[in-house]
Amino acid sequence: MSQFLSRRDLARLITRIENGEPDAQTTLNELYTHAGGARVIGITGAPGSGKSTLVAELGRELRARPNPPQVAIVAVDPSSPFSGGAILGDRIRMRDLFGDSGVFIRSMASRGALGGIAAATADVVTALDAAGYNFILIETVGAGQLEVDVARIAQTVIVVEAPGAGDEVQAVKAGILEIADIIVVNKADREDVAQTVSALQSALDLSPANGAPPSQDIHHGPPELTGSAGATPADERWKPPIIKVSALRREGIDELLAAAEQHHEYLETSGEGQRRTQRRAEADIVARLRELLLRHALAQLPPHDYARLVDAAAQRAIHPAQAAAALLAALHL
Amino acid sequence: MSQFLSRRDLARLITRIENGEPDAQTTLNELYTHAGGARVIGITGAPGSGKSTLVAELGRELRARPNPPQVAIVAVDPSSPFSGGAILGDRIRMRDLFGDSGVFIRSMASRGALGGIAAATADVVTALDAAGYNFILIETVGAGQLEVDVARIAQTVIVVEAPGAGDEVQAVKAGILEIADIIVVNKADREDVAQTVSALQSALDLSPANGAPPSQDIHHGPPELTGSAGATPADERWKPPIIKVSALRREGIDELLAAAEQHHEYLETSGEGQRRTQRRAEADIVARLRELLLRHALAQLPPHDYARLVDAAAQRAIHPAQAAAALLAALHL
């Protein structure tokens, strides 16, 4: 099944990526040029939205197709000290997937990877892609900057919401609706589902950024870097559909996969897919350059100067911004 | 009431900080040397945990004391397009606080501040501190990297949990327990409160990092930078208490403030407060240096080289890490 990597080599490579081993990069450089064929789908949502069950059902549905695709599932949990499948293995609904040789399942924890867990996840996706996996499902826990970063890795982002999770819609509060290509209201067997759908629809209607790329990049680079490849005109923009699903009852999974397929076609025909690829590459390069520059600078700076300026800022003799400017000046760039 | 800033000047300065106006820095450099006297308390928790109501009740309780302290409330919501109090003003339970001249309330949204919203929040706290506010309550929405960054600004971090919010305890899933100095189980009038307290206690008992500073710094700097000021021995470490509160019924607020007072005393007597100040200054400097270096580098790089390498990575001719390394080399540092 694998073009470039056995299952065993793949598992080892992922561990090396997670551990931030520098020699993994040589392998990744080679694999990167062979990757790019996989469909990468991100699934995110607040705790309790049932996204783990949904991911398992998506995997199962894909594997039940005629000529089933190879499916990889990556669960990203920065708060977890475990990795290598320990958490996922406990999930009852994923058990039969674990026995399927056409499915690769892995959970990732954050360790020492350069650029953080988002960069490590991008590298793991590269490895899975080059290894011949046709669908790569990335599940992220929580709702924050990590989700935005992971969204940049995925081609299609599914945001999962459970009905009645609070007096406010969680996705709206957490600001992750703007990264959604498809919105799933899970647990659609519950009675308060209509209210949640309507709240989500209102939020979508109000959001100017909706369907468009995020207008500002807080994390990966200064705003002036983004959007260099141009934006899609408003009338051609993708309107995220809201799809009712009951992952537990296996209802709505087909509709969700059909929506993902439509989004894929949109990306291909509108040119948005290519623009996203460009933006992703740029954000990745800038994130890595930022860390390289910092490491280089810290290695160059006389430790005494550094410690003295930290002390001065801690004692409120100077503002940290002044200390940073003094360090920049000391580098004589 | 204000030593260095009128209420009106303060509001204007905060707007300048939010907008990332460079000339605000001159004012901040001056104010920073006069700040450091305020008690800064961070309040975080998942959406629906009732932390907004809790923050309002903390403010009210502090203001009801004899010789009431000046209280500032800052709500940080990176997902919100609004700022300046628009959201907070809608909160019914905060209305009487808005009429109190000894209370300053402000919500912050993310804009163009160098170093992101965490750096902007740190600057706003500096301004409030220098202006003479004795207690600064920072409320953060969501549960992610932002909360960890904001936790570094606060001296005492309160994590708020509602009972029965899901089949798992949300704070545990989101990994924010490790930044907690005090854990609040809000809505303690509910019947499933004992179960939540017991789940939180188990999670605390299992966590080796608990009460200790985070062992790894994903966001602000390489791991080797942190902990330079030494760690607290295990037997002297703060054990985060779990406090049951009903903010809506105004029960448990006194106990919570007493726990915050105890934590403050712990910080003072153990030396941990000083170590936190040192780590905070270092993380702040490194975060700012990282952005300064990137801006400097992007201004130096020939735009043609930059665009060519981004294209090459987008077309999978080279890995983004190779592109970043090539850019670093082109800088001739």
Side-chain angles (χ1 to χ4, degrees):
Chain A
M1 144 216 128
S2 158
Q3 279 179 272
F4 299 97
L5 278 177
S6 72
R7 197 180 176 95
R8 190 173 172 180
D9 286 346
L10 183 60
R12 284 182 178 165
L13 176 59
I14 293 176
T15 301
R16 284 161 63 208
I17 293 168
E18 274 194 308
N19 292 341
E21 292 178 23
D23 64 339
Q25 190 58 52
T26 313
T27 312
L28 285 166
N29 290 347
E30 172 64 15
L31 293 177
Y32 187 78
T33 63
H34 297 291
R39 300 279 305 280
V40 186
I41 299 177
I43 298 102
T44 191
S49 60
K51 61 189 169 306
S52 307
T53 308
L54 180 65
V55 170
E57 289 307 324
L58 286 171
R60 184 174 289 113
E61 189 71 28
L62 286 167
R63 291 293 297 163
R65 287 181 173 179
N67 289 323
Q70 308 287 325
V71 176
I73 298 175
V74 183
V76 183
D77 187 351
S79 68
S80 169
F82 306 109
S83 68
I87 309 165
L88 288 169
D90 291 336
R91 291 183 186 162
I92 290 164
R93 298 192 66 91
M94 251 184 206
R95 278 192 193 154
D96 50 327
L97 286 177
F98 269 94
D100 179 343
S101 67
V103 178
F104 187 94
I105 302 180
R106 179 79 180 216
S107 68
M108 285 184 65
S110 173
R111 294 208 197 142
L114 182 69
I117 196 161
T121 305
D123 284 337
V124 167
V125 166
T126 295
L128 291 164
D129 188 337
Y133 287 92
N134 311 102
F135 278 83
I136 302 171
L137 310 179
I138 312 174
E139 176 193 346
T140 55
V141 176
Q145 187 57 51
L146 178 71
E147 281 58 48
V148 177
D149 291 345
V150 169
R152 291 211 180 78
I153 302 167
Q155 295 149 357
T156 298
V157 176
I158 300 172
V159 171
V160 187
E161 188 77 15
D167 43 351
E168 293 134 299
V169 177
Q170 299 213 357
V172 177
K173 266 213 115 170
I176 56 173
L177 263 198
E178 70 180 47
I179 62 168
D181 298 309
I182 298 169
I183 296 158
V184 163
V185 179
N186 197 9
K187 310 184 182 182
D189 42 297
R190 289 213 201 146
E191 59 185 20
D192 42 359
V193 65
Q195 197 188 329
T196 303
V197 169
S198 132
L200 285 165
Q201 192 59 60
S202 306
L204 277 180
D205 294 343
L206 283 171
S207 167
N210 174 25
S215 59
Q216 204 181 7
D217 185 340
I218 303 167
H219 199 65
H220 268 141
E224 61 265 32
L225 288 182
T226 57
S228 58
T232 310
D235 56 342
E236 292 168 23
R237 266 185 216 152
W238 174 259
K239 304 272 184 296
I242 300 176
I243 299 182
K244 286 182 272 185
V245 167
S246 169
L248 214 61
R249 296 185 184 182
R250 301 186 180 173
E251 292 167 2
I253 307 293
D254 275 347
E255 291 81 347
L256 177 55
L257 283 172
E261 192 57 37
Q262 281 166 23
H263 184 251
H264 176 67
E265 280 162 25
Y266 161 77
L267 290 178
E268 295 287 302
T269 55
S270 67
E272 178 62 18
Q274 210 186 327
R275 282 189 288 273
R276 285 194 187 189
T277 301
Q278 190 89 3
R279 280 197 299 268
R280 197 156 47 230
E282 185 174 7
D284 197 351
I285 292 168
V286 168
R288 288 170 194 269
L289 179 61
R290 181 193 267 120
E291 292 307 316
L292 288 175
L293 286 164
L294 180 67
R295 291 193 176 207
H296 179 85
L298 291 175
Q300 296 282 313
L301 286 167
H304 179 73
D305 288 5
Y306 179 78
R308 189 176 48 81
L309 286 162
V310 169
D311 284 347
Q315 288 155 22
R316 293 191 175 271
I318 56 168
H319 192 284
Q322 293 173 295
L327 289 172
L328 185 72
L331 286 165
H332 302 295
L333 297 182
Chain B
M1 149 214 121
S2 159
Q3 277 179 276
F4 299 97
L5 278 176
S6 72
R7 196 180 177 96
R8 189 172 173 181
D9 287 345
L10 183 60
R12 285 184 178 163
L13 176 59
I14 293 177
T15 301
R16 285 162 64 208
I17 292 169
E18 274 195 307
N19 291 342
E21 291 177 26
D23 64 337
Q25 190 60 51
T26 313
T27 312
L28 285 167
N29 290 347
E30 172 65 15
L31 293 177
Y32 186 78
T33 63
H34 297 291
R39 300 279 305 279
V40 187
I41 300 178
I43 297 101
T44 191
S49 59
K51 59 189 170 308
S52 306
T53 308
L54 180 65
V55 169
E57 289 306 325
L58 285 172
R60 184 173 289 113
E61 189 71 27
L62 286 167
R63 290 294 298 165
R65 287 179 173 183
N67 289 321
Q70 308 287 326
V71 176
I73 297 176
V74 183
V76 183
D77 187 350
S79 68
S80 168
F82 306 110
S83 68
I87 309 165
L88 287 168
D90 291 337
R91 290 182 187 162
I92 291 164
R93 297 192 66 89
M94 249 182 210
R95 276 189 194 156
D96 50 327
L97 286 178
F98 269 94
D100 179 344
S101 67
V103 177
F104 187 94
I105 302 180
R106 179 80 181 214
S107 67
M108 285 185 65
S110 175
R111 296 208 196 140
L114 181 69
I117 196 163
T121 305
D123 285 338
V124 168
V125 166
T126 295
L128 290 164
D129 188 337
Y133 286 92
N134 311 103
F135 278 83
I136 302 170
L137 310 179
I138 312 173
E139 177 193 345
T140 54
V141 176
Q145 186 58 50
L146 178 71
E147 279 61 45
V148 177
D149 291 346
V150 170
R152 290 207 181 80
I153 301 167
Q155 295 149 357
T156 298
V157 177
I158 299 173
V159 171
V160 186
E161 188 77 17
D167 43 354
E168 292 135 300
V169 177
Q170 298 210 359
V172 177
K173 266 212 117 169
I176 54 172
L177 263 198
E178 70 180 44
I179 63 169
D181 297 311
I182 298 169
I183 296 160
V184 163
V185 179
N186 197 8
K187 309 183 182 181
D189 42 297
R190 289 212 202 146
E191 57 186 21
D192 43 359
V193 65
Q195 198 188 328
T196 303
V197 170
S198 132
L200 285 165
Q201 192 60 60
S202 305
L204 278 181
D205 293 344
L206 284 170
S207 167
N210 173 24
S215 59
Q216 206 180 5
D217 185 339
I218 303 169
H219 199 68
H220 267 142
E224 61 265 33
L225 288 183
T226 56
S228 60
T232 310
D235 56 341
E236 293 169 24
R237 266 185 215 151
W238 175 259
K239 305 272 183 297
I242 300 176
I243 299 180
K244 287 183 273 186
V245 167
S246 170
L248 214 59
R249 296 185 184 181
R250 301 185 180 177
E251 292 166 0
I253 307 292
D254 274 347
E255 290 82 345
L256 177 55
L257 283 173
E261 193 55 38
Q262 279 166 25
H263 184 250
H264 176 67
E265 280 162 26
Y266 160 77
L267 290 177
E268 294 287 302
T269 55
S270 67
E272 178 63 18
Q274 210 187 329
R275 283 189 288 272
R276 284 195 187 188
T277 300
Q278 190 90 3
R279 281 197 299 268
R280 198 156 48 230
E282 185 174 8
D284 197 350
I285 292 168
V286 168
R288 288 170 192 269
L289 179 61
R290 182 193 268 120
E291 292 308 316
L292 289 175
L293 286 165
L294 181 67
R295 292 193 174 204
H296 179 84
L298 292 174
Q300 294 283 312
L301 285 167
H304 179 73
D305 289 5
Y306 179 79
R308 188 175 49 79
L309 286 163
V310 169
D311 285 346
Q315 288 154 23
R316 293 194 174 270
I318 55 167
H319 191 284
Q322 293 173 295
L327 289 172
L328 184 71
L331 286 164
H332 301 295
L333 297 181

